[in-house]
Amino acid sequence: MTRFVFQLFRSPTRTHTSRVAGLLGLAVLTIAGCEAAPPPADQGPELGEAAQVGAATATPYAEFDADGAPSAIGIALSENFFDELPREPSNLRYCWDRDEDGEVAQPDECIPTHDWVIPLPSAAAARADMPFKWALLNWNPLGHIPPGVYDSPHFDVHFYIEPVESIMGIEPGPCGPEFVNCDQFETGRKPLPANYMDPKYVNVDAVAPAMGNHLVDVSGPEFSGEPFTRAWIYGSYDGRVTFYEEMVSLAFLVAQPSECFPIDSPPAVAVAGYYPTSSCLRYVPETGDYTVSLEDFVLREASPPEAVPEQAAVTTAGE
């Protein structure tokens, strides 16, 4: 199964009730390192600075329980968000002359995505016990590899542990199924220690520019011929877990869901702090917003790494 999925990826081509607005361009942003106290729980969500998508907004928020512990972090998409999405195949930022003809052709030689860096609210991101500091929202109008699985219009919502400047430093290049810088491809595909990943998640060498590697649950229904709706993905780079990702189809979101899904949590974590156990997708009828959030946080202690499993080492052993 692992070899089959690897070949697929190598083929070409909480309720949130506040209405908010703001502006944030894609940039390399530094998150403050000092600890900040959360707002009182009865004051509602803490809002961060929004990313502008045409006349629409994608606004980060955080929620806290009565004891001040984080209970949710997420992104709220305004009711007009889907009307404002770019129609072009990509933003032309992650391209590579793959056939070496001296020109870059869209969409075949560009990663088919548009992305927005979204810092989480400081009440959450500046906490020493919150590993997640910022989010990356990707809109993929053509979907992406593997064909027949994830090639329908969808969103990737990444919640990052790794610093933003490190992630944005992962550059396009000629290597791997996602066409990334060759040195960074080798760094990105390094396997994780066994206890830092749920065993269902397979390294398919999908190291992408401005993202990192992607570990996929190949037992998901979309790998058995069912239409893709949503999926959970882990990100890694240089042998570290770097992001948690909810991937959801446009069709599933516009159907106005209100549902949470359990996260397959790894046996251990390398960084102490609060980690989510649920991923939630909601339509908020009071405002018309759509929310994508991580919820039901638990406090976890850091554990030392175990040996890299043999299967993971074989999975990433080359082309």
Side-chain angles (χ1 to χ4, degrees):
M1 172 61 78
T2 297
R3 185 176 302 171
F4 168 69
V5 174
F6 176 73
Q7 291 302 321
L8 277 179
F9 273 80
R10 285 192 55 78
S11 301
T13 339
R14 320 101 163 99
T15 304
H16 171 56
T17 56
S18 300
R19 298 303 305 275
V20 295
L23 174 64
L24 178 66
L26 180 64
V28 175
L29 302 170
T30 301
I31 307 299
C34 57
E35 186 169 358
D42 57 3
Q43 290 187 5
E46 176 80 3
L47 304 179
E49 190 173 10
Q52 198 80 24
V53 182
T57 55
T59 304
Y61 67 93
E63 296 177 351
F64 304 87
D65 64 22
D67 296 323
S71 58
I73 56 174
I75 296 175
L77 309 177
S78 59
E79 61 180 341
N80 59 335
F81 192 82
F82 305 129
D83 297 330
E84 297 293 324
L85 290 169
R87 299 180 183 273
E88 299 81 9
S90 82
N91 57 16
L92 300 178
R93 276 196 285 267
Y94 314 115
C95 302
W96 188 260
D97 183 10
R98 301 175 187 179
D99 59 10
E100 299 182 346
D101 66 352
E103 297 180 357
V104 172
Q106 184 178 225
D108 292 340
E109 294 183 321
C110 297
I111 301 295
T113 194
H114 300 261
D115 56 357
W116 297 269
V117 169
I118 305 176
L120 294 179
S122 60
R127 292 175 61 118
D129 57 7
M130 171 54 71
F132 305 94
K133 305 302 183 183
W134 61 285
L136 183 67
L137 173 63
N138 288 79
W139 158 237
N140 310 294
L142 303 179
H144 54 60
I145 58 172
V149 180
Y150 297 137
D151 56 358
S152 58
H154 70 267
F155 299 93
D156 302 332
V157 187
H158 310 79
F159 293 89
Y160 271 94
I161 300 171
E162 194 79 358
V164 64
E165 55 269 24
S166 299
I167 297 302
M168 290 300 152
I170 304 174
E171 300 176 341
C175 288
E178 295 275 20
F179 291 90
V180 70
N181 173 280
C182 291
D183 289 341
Q184 293 172 322
F185 177 60
E186 295 302 329
T187 301
R189 71 201 299 209
K190 288 182 181 178
L192 292 165
N195 56 330
Y196 291 163
M197 185 48 53
D198 182 283
K200 291 197 299 294
Y201 289 80
V202 176
N203 183 349
V204 292
D205 286 346
V207 184
M211 280 186 254
N213 202 5
H214 296 73
L215 307 180
V216 181
D217 176 8
V218 298
S219 67
E222 65 271 19
F223 285 96
S224 299
E226 295 187 26
F228 166 63
T229 56
R230 51 80 53 184
W232 182 254
I233 289 179
Y234 282 102
S236 70
Y237 193 78
D238 200 15
R240 300 186 301 275
V241 175
T242 55
F243 64 79
Y244 282 28
E245 176 185 349
E246 174 66 34
M247 186 164 64
V248 57
S249 72
L250 175 63
F252 190 80
L253 268 186
V254 299
Q256 301 181 351
S258 182
E259 192 170 358
C260 291
F261 305 89
I263 292 173
D264 298 314
S265 299
V269 295
V271 179
Y274 283 95
Y275 287 82
T277 60
S278 298
S279 178
C280 300
L281 301 164
R282 294 190 181 90
Y283 171 69
V284 186
E286 295 88 347
T287 64
D289 291 350
Y290 297 77
T291 62
V292 181
S293 59
L294 305 184
E295 304 188 11
D296 300 321
F297 281 78
V298 296
L299 185 61
R300 304 190 69 178
E301 298 295 329
S303 298
E306 294 179 359
V308 173
E310 183 179 351
Q311 181 179 6
V314 171
T315 301
T316 61
E319 302 175 11

